[in-house]
Amino acid sequence: MVEAWNIIGNQNAAIMFVIEDVTYNICDQRFHEFEIRKSYPHVKVIRKTLTEIYNGGVLGTKKELIVDGVDVSVVYFRAGYEPLHYHSQNEWDARLLIERSSAIKCPSIYYHLAGTKKVQEALARPGILKRFLTDESQIKSVQEIFTGLYSLDKNEGGEEIIQKVLANPEGYVMKPQREGGGNNIYGIDIPDKLKAMTEEERSSYIIMDRIFPPISKSYMLRPGGKNPPEIVSLVSELGIFGAVIGCKGKIVYNRQVGHMLRTKLANANEGGVAAGSGALDSPFLFE
């Protein structure tokens, strides 16, 4: 975020955290904020809800974002990724104001959309990557990290995939156009959900091949757990964090900046750390 702030070059501008009306997952947000204040005390950080941005936000003559009289050069979204964050048209108008501004957004609307399930399903269709990449080896490398993603739209082969899912529900996950965990439908729960939906309701979901990661045996330390802890079956997910700043045709900054390993019980479907069903872990590297 500070790198983005430096790129804009307005020494009087602030980094703005877009937050929920009531912030439950506040600790890591504050860690980011405190680190900025500690390492870069000259950089101002403000926190605003979408409603507050609607009430106090305007665009300057050069499309700079101004909120309550403060220039904002970097916008860090910690809200705006689920429907409940938009209480009325005002919040949607605030989001549009931000997107129309010259401030650097984290994420940009393009990355935000790329993280949604229907866009991911569209990107996984045969031939689509050729619209964005020309090197066949790069296309092949990207395709290798895709799992099966399928539309439930009737005119896009939805009926065929529904029959496959009903015949083997344990091989699939049903995902809505949502983020944040807790919204997916797994295995044997899928058939009843599909049968209860209308065609229109189904079209807002996708079907994904279920990934079965390797199982390891270890201890999980957690509040209220057994003491001493017992050995349990676990699965892990390693996330590699990257930071990229740029626009169409120009990348200004592109680096790998960290990682996070999340571990959950092997028999648990959801694995969110904040939701209490997963735990933070540490990788052990060896040759």
Side-chain angles (χ1 to χ4, degrees):
M1 285 185 279
V2 174
E3 186 70 28
W5 184 88
N6 284 327
I7 288 171
I8 294 294
N10 182 352
Q11 298 297 308
N12 297 316
I15 296 173
M16 181 173 70
F17 287 34
V18 181
I19 59 173
E20 301 165 275
D21 295 326
V22 179
T23 305
Y24 296 100
N25 190 20
I26 194 172
C27 292
D28 60 336
Q29 295 181 28
R30 287 296 192 183
F31 283 141
H32 289 311
E33 181 181 345
F34 295 159
E35 184 62 27
I36 292 172
R37 293 185 187 278
K38 174 184 174 183
S39 302
Y40 308 93
H42 58 289
V43 180
K44 186 175 182 178
V45 177
I46 62 175
R47 297 166 60 84
K48 298 290 182 180
T49 66
L50 287 167
T51 307
E52 290 172 330
I53 295 168
Y54 171 79
N55 290 328
V58 295
L59 292 185
T61 56
K62 297 181 179 179
K63 290 192 175 182
E64 63 271 27
L65 180 62
I66 305 169
V67 180
D68 293 332
V70 177
D71 285 2
V72 174
S73 59
V74 180
V75 180
Y76 174 43
F77 284 102
R78 293 305 299 250
Y81 54 84
E82 67 170 67
L84 292 178
H85 294 164
Y86 299 90
H87 316 305
S88 66
Q89 185 60 42
N90 292 350
E91 286 70 36
W92 287 108
D93 289 345
R95 180 65 186 267
L96 180 59
L97 179 78
I98 295 169
E99 297 301 335
R100 291 179 59 218
S101 78
S102 59
I104 294 177
K105 276 74 72 172
C106 177
S108 70
I109 191 63
Y110 310 107
Y111 276 95
H112 194 158
L113 290 172
T116 61
K117 304 303 182 292
K118 292 298 290 183
V119 172
Q120 291 172 358
E121 171 230 306
L123 290 172
R125 293 175 187 169
I128 293 297
L129 287 180
K130 291 183 178 180
R131 295 176 55 184
F132 308 98
L133 300 172
T134 56
D135 188 310
E136 288 295 334
S137 63
Q138 288 184 343
I139 292 174
K140 184 178 180 180
S141 295
V142 173
Q143 287 176 331
E144 286 178 353
I145 67 171
F146 285 179
T147 189
L149 299 166
Y150 313 101
S151 172
L152 284 171
D153 291 2
K154 187 175 182 179
N155 60 350
E156 295 178 356
E159 292 298 328
E160 181 181 349
I161 189 60
I162 286 173
Q163 295 308 312
K164 290 182 178 180
V165 172
L166 294 178
N168 177 32
E170 288 293 354
Y172 300 95
V173 181
M174 188 174 171
K175 294 188 171 185
Q177 191 80 331
R178 295 286 300 278
E179 292 299 327
N183 303 299
N184 298 334
I185 303 153
Y186 295 83
I188 60 174
D189 295 328
I190 299 177
D192 288 342
K193 186 73 173 180
L194 282 174
K195 292 173 184 177
M197 287 180 166
T198 64
E199 287 184 8
E200 184 177 2
E201 288 171 334
R202 289 176 183 172
S203 66
S204 65
Y205 286 76
I206 70 163
I207 293 292
M208 187 186 91
D209 287 342
R210 188 166 184 174
I211 299 171
F212 294 94
I215 295 175
S216 61
K217 297 283 187 178
S218 190
Y219 301 97
M220 181 177 279
L221 304 177
R222 52 199 317 167
K226 292 184 177 181
N227 189 14
E230 60 184 354
I231 294 179
V232 290
S233 296
L234 302 167
V235 295
S236 299
E237 177 186 72
L238 178 64
I240 306 296
F241 293 108
V244 59
I245 305 173
C247 56
K248 184 178 180 181
K250 183 179 180 181
I251 299 297
V252 179
Y253 181 95
N254 187 7
R255 296 182 187 176
Q256 186 268 322
V257 293
H259 69 271
M260 182 170 70
L261 188 68
R262 295 183 295 181
T263 297
K264 66 177 182 178
L265 294 172
N267 60 359
N269 286 327
E270 295 289 351
V273 175
S277 53
L280 293 177
D281 208 339
S282 299
F284 178 71
L285 305 179
F286 61 94
E287 294 185 2

